[in-house]
């Protein structure tokens, strides 16, 4: 049975000389994989709509295993992302995280909407580094290993200053910092920003301005946190490191 879905291309790989296997993150069906027959042919009707980060409507034969793409229509090309190496790097990172952390065929309209809006903001020129951190924290929560950022993980205190402990899995207040001598001291705005990033709807994002120093601190913390709890090797991180965007 053919079904119409709205989705974003998060991964493609060649299959034979002319076909592709395409992974979509869709609003209606969650993450799904489909065979796009003939999509590698330049004149194929599905060639342009199976490029990375294309947002479109797709007619798909969905079965118990790999589905089959019948046709597609582009909604948003997100061309600015594909034409900018930094945006491409961050979008590839988020797409790989979605692929690793979102279960197949488990619809989650909220996470889909947040991913789409993140890419739309990125396409429009908002800070890709900040957008990436916001969405990856939402993915950590979805996957069940979100850090505790609303209070001290040890005593529950909501009184700073705070440190962030990879070992303990979240914020430690100044009274509990002894629990982890290696915890990262957080400058004043970062605990609040962490809470905003975890809980805020990306659609409501205004202009978030962060000092480069604070971005680097937060990036380092999230990288180490994922390495500790995420469990999957991410190939896209190598690309980001080559561009000196990740440590």
């Amino acid at each position: 049975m053919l079904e119409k879905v709205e989705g974003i291309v998060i991964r493609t790989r060649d299959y034979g000389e002319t076909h592709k296997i395409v992974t979509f993150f869709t609003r209606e069906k969650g993450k799904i994989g489909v065979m796009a027959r003939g999509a590698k042919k330049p004149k194929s009707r599905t060639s342009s709509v199976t490029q990375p980060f294309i947002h479109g409507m797709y007619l798909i034969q969905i079965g118990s295993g790999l589905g089959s793409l019948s046709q597609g229509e582009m909604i948003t090309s997100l061309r600015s992302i594909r034409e900018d190496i930094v945006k491409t790097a961050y979008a590839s990172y988020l797409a790989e995280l979605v692929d690793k952390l979102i279960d197949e065929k488990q619809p989650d309209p909220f996470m889909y909407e947040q991913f789409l809006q993140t890419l739309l903001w990125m396409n429009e020129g908002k800070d890709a580094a900040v957008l990436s951190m916001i969405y990856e924290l939402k993915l950590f929560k979805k996957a069940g290993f979100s850090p505790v950022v609303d209070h001290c993980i040890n005593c529950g205190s909501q009184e700073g200053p705070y440190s962030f402990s990879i070992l303990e899995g979240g914020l430690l207040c100044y009274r509990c910092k002894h629990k982890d001598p290696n915890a990262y001291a957080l400058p004043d705005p970062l605990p609040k920003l962490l809470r905003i990033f975890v809980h805020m709807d990306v659609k409501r994002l205004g202009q978030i301005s962060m000092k480069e120093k604070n971005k680097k601190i937060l990036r380092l913390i999230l990288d180490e946190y994922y390495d500790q709890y995420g469990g999957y090797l991410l190939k896209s991180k190598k690309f980001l490191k080559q561009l000196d965007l990740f440590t």
Side-chain angles (χ1 to χ4, degrees), residues 91-174:
S92 298
Y93 172 64
L94 292 183
E96 189 176 7
L97 271 177
V98 168
D99 195 25
K100 298 291 189 188
L101 299 181
I102 298 287
D103 292 332
E104 285 197 12
K105 298 179 181 178
Q106 298 294 319
D108 190 329
F110 175 75
M111 288 303 293
Y112 172 81
E113 285 286 350
Q114 296 295 289
F115 183 55
L116 173 59
Q117 188 61 63
T118 297
L119 294 182
L120 289 171
W121 285 144
M122 205 177 284
N123 191 63
E124 290 179 19
K126 289 198 175 184
D127 193 319
V130 173
L131 286 165
S132 294
M133 291 188 284
I134 294 173
Y135 190 68
E136 68 190 280
L137 277 163
K138 295 184 188 310
L139 279 171
F140 294 175
K141 186 175 181 181
K142 169 73 176 174
F145 59 90
S146 179
V148 172
V149 297
D150 293 316
H151 51 77
C152 174
I153 195 167
N154 185 57
C155 72
S157 171
Q158 294 183 326
E159 183 183 352
Y162 291 106
S163 299
F164 190 98
S165 169
I166 306 295
L167 186 67
E168 297 292 324
L171 299 181
L172 288 174
C173 70
Y174 63 96

Side-chain angles (χ1 to χ4, degrees), residues 89-90 92-102 136 139-140 145 219 222-241 246:
Y90 279 114
S92 298
Y93 172 64
L94 292 183
E96 189 176 7
L97 271 177
V98 168
D99 195 25
K100 298 291 189 188
L101 299 181
I102 298 287
E136 68 190 280
L139 279 171
F140 294 175
F145 59 90
R219 181 70 267 156
L222 291 184
D223 285 348
E224 286 195 23
Y225 187 83
Y226 178 83
D227 289 345
Q228 179 76 19
Y229 301 104
Y232 295 99
L233 179 67
L234 298 170
K235 295 178 181 177
S236 54
K237 275 193 174 183
K238 185 177 179 181
F239 187 23
L240 285 157
K241 286 177 181 178
F246 275 29

